[in-house]
Amino acid sequence: KEAAEYAYSDWDQTRVRDNRSRMIVGNPGEVREQIRRLAESYGVDEVMIVTGGHQVETRMRTVELLAEAFALSYQHSYVI
């Protein structure tokens, strides 16, 4: 089943809501602002990002999108 079609139980919905409070999720602009606010709240000038996804290509795409959102140059090379 596709995630959008999945019938979430009350327990599932509670877990999703609780986990979402620990995550930064959104479009590039929303993510950038959430990261900036989080860094500001801790008084830091850099953050560490842990990407999700099982495939390395998915994780690398996340890094590329973050680089674009923060107007950073990013080049990668990896072997699969």
Side-chain angles (χ1 to χ4, degrees):
K1 262 187 180 180
E2 293 293 321
E5 298 172 0
Y6 183 78
Y8 290 96
S9 69
D10 289 340
W11 184 87
D12 292 332
Q13 291 175 4
T14 299
R15 295 288 297 152
V16 168
R17 186 178 53 250
D18 290 348
N19 282 329
R20 272 292 163 97
S21 68
R22 302 180 307 118
M23 298 177 190
I24 293 179
V25 179
N27 66 43
E30 293 168 341
V31 168
R32 182 185 61 243
E33 289 310 309
Q34 289 176 64
I35 292 171
R36 285 186 175 157
R37 284 195 307 263
L38 183 64
E40 185 177 289
S41 74
Y42 282 99
V44 298
D45 61 0
E46 61 184 29
V47 297
M48 182 180 291
I49 304 294
V50 177
T51 63
H54 295 286
Q55 298 179 346
V56 69
E57 295 88 357
T58 302
R59 294 189 306 271
M60 296 308 293
R61 182 64 181 143
T62 300
V63 172
E64 291 168 355
L65 290 169
L66 285 165
E68 290 173 21
F70 283 92
L72 303 171
S73 63
Y74 174 75
Q75 292 182 329
H76 65 80
S77 62
Y78 55 91
V79 177
I80 298 175

